[in-house]
Amino acid sequence: MDGYDKHAFEPFAVTVDLAVFTVRAGVLQVLLVERGQEPYAGQWALPGGFVLPRESAETAARRELAEETGLSDVSGLHLEQLRTYSEPDRDPRMRVVSVAFAALLPDAPEPTGGGDAASARWLPCEGLGPLAFDHDRIVADAHERIGAKLEYTCLATAFCPPEFTLGELQQVYETVWGTVLDRPNFRRKVLTTPGFVEQVPGGARLTGGRGKPAALYRAGGATTAHPPLLRPAAPAGGAGRAPDPPAPAAGTATGSSARPGSGSPTAADPSREGRSA
C-alpha cells in the first residue's frame, strides 16, 4: 500500500487466554495449567498462547485449549469472548495484547498437560490465589460476567448435562452466585419463563431420599430469561453475589504462587479495574 510503512510501528504480539469453568461436586472450578516455561515457570495460569498469523482469536483459543489440556473434542463447550487485556507491562517478554474468553463446560473430563504446560488441573475458584501474568484478574472478570449473565439469559443450562433436574439447575445458580435460593420460588420462575427448559417426556431420575423420582428437563429454545432471574440482594453484612477471593496475608508477594503439584495457589484479591469489551 502506497505511503504506508508497517515498520514505523513497534511490533507486538496477540495472545488468547481461556477462563474455563465447570461445576464439580457442587463447587465452581476453573481450569488451570502449570507453566512449563519462563516467564512464570512452575506457576499456575490460564490455558492460552499466541495467535498464529493465519488464524482467528477463537480458532487460537480452541487450539490452545486442546494443546495445553487435552480437551480437543469437547461437546457442550460454551465459548464467548470476554474482553481485551492490553496493559503495556502485563507480559515481561514484550508488549502482548490478550483476547480473553470465558467458557462453560458440563461434565468436564480430567485435563492432561501438553504443549508448554507441565500439567493441567481443575481447581476451586473460591480462595484462588495469585496466577501468572494478570490471570487472576481475568478469572475474576469472567466469574462476574457469568454470574451477571445468569440473571438475564438461559446460560445456566450450559453447565448442565443434556438432561437435568431442576435441582441440578438450581445448584448451578447457587454455586456461581455463592448463595442459597428458595426452591419453590426458583422452580416457579424457571417453569414460567417461556422456552427456558423443556420437560423430557417420561424422563425421571432418583435424587436420593424417599421421594418420587425428579422430572428431567433439557434446555429450551430461549436464549434470554424474561422476566430476569435476579440474584438475591445481599443482606447487611452478608453476600448475595459470588464472594471475592480473600486478600493475601501481609507480606505475600503478588507474583508468588504454589509450587508444582502442591494444589491450589495462595489466595489473592484480583484487580477489578477495566471495562468489559
Side-chain angles (χ1 to χ4, degrees):
M1 183 180 297
D2 293 340
Y4 177 76
D5 181 12
K6 66 179 181 180
H7 300 292
F9 303 93
E10 183 177 350
F12 64 91
V14 178
T15 62
V16 291
D17 292 304
L18 294 95
V20 185
F21 296 95
T22 193
V23 175
R24 303 180 116 201
V27 176
L28 183 67
Q29 300 194 3
V30 64
L31 182 60
L32 297 178
V33 297
E34 178 194 334
R35 287 187 57 81
Q37 300 177 0
E38 294 292 350
Y40 301 105
Q43 293 189 227
W44 293 106
L46 294 173
F50 290 94
V51 178
L52 300 180
R54 303 298 300 175
E55 68 180 353
S56 67
E58 182 169 341
T59 299
R62 293 183 180 274
R63 173 181 55 79
E64 287 289 346
L65 182 64
E67 290 178 359
E68 294 193 341
T69 70
L71 304 181
S72 56
D73 184 18
V74 182
S75 60
L77 177 69
H78 172 89
L79 183 69
E80 66 176 68
Q81 191 172 136
L82 175 63
R83 57 159 290 177
T84 300
Y85 295 82
S86 58
E87 291 299 320
D89 299 323
R90 60 180 302 276
D91 191 311
R93 293 169 292 190
M94 62 180 298
R95 179 72 188 272
V96 175
V97 174
S98 181
V99 181
F101 290 83
L104 311 179
L105 189 61
D107 295 332
E110 289 295 333
T112 55
D116 57 3
S119 63
R121 187 180 304 175
W122 293 103
L123 289 174
C125 288
E126 184 176 355
L128 194 64
L131 306 177
F133 306 104
D134 52 0
H135 291 183
D136 51 351
R137 177 183 173 190
I138 297 176
V139 170
D141 289 347
H143 187 181
E144 177 59 28
R145 165 74 71 84
I146 291 171
K149 292 195 73 170
L150 292 191
E151 297 189 72
Y152 61 90
T153 74
C154 303
L155 185 63
T157 57
F159 277 109
C160 298
E163 297 181 355
F164 51 86
T165 67
L166 292 184
E168 291 168 338
L169 182 63
Q170 179 175 336
Q171 186 181 58
V172 169
Y173 281 88
E174 293 179 336
T175 302
V176 174
W177 286 350
T179 191
V180 177
L181 303 176
D182 179 72
R183 181 176 178 274
N185 193 37
F186 176 83
R187 180 183 180 90
R188 176 183 59 80
K189 288 183 177 180
V190 170
L191 294 181
T192 56
T193 300
F196 197 150
V197 296
E198 299 173 354
Q199 188 167 356
V200 177
R205 179 186 301 157
L206 288 171
T207 57
R210 302 180 184 179
K212 63 180 182 179
L216 291 178
Y217 295 83
R218 63 172 66 98
T223 56
T224 59
H226 182 74
L229 205 162
L230 301 178
R231 276 181 273 192
R241 296 176 181 264
D244 292 331
T252 301
T254 303
S256 64
S257 72
R259 297 294 300 168
S262 63
S264 174
T266 311
D269 183 14
S271 169
R272 292 296 191 110
E273 62 182 86
R275 296 170 60 90
S276 296

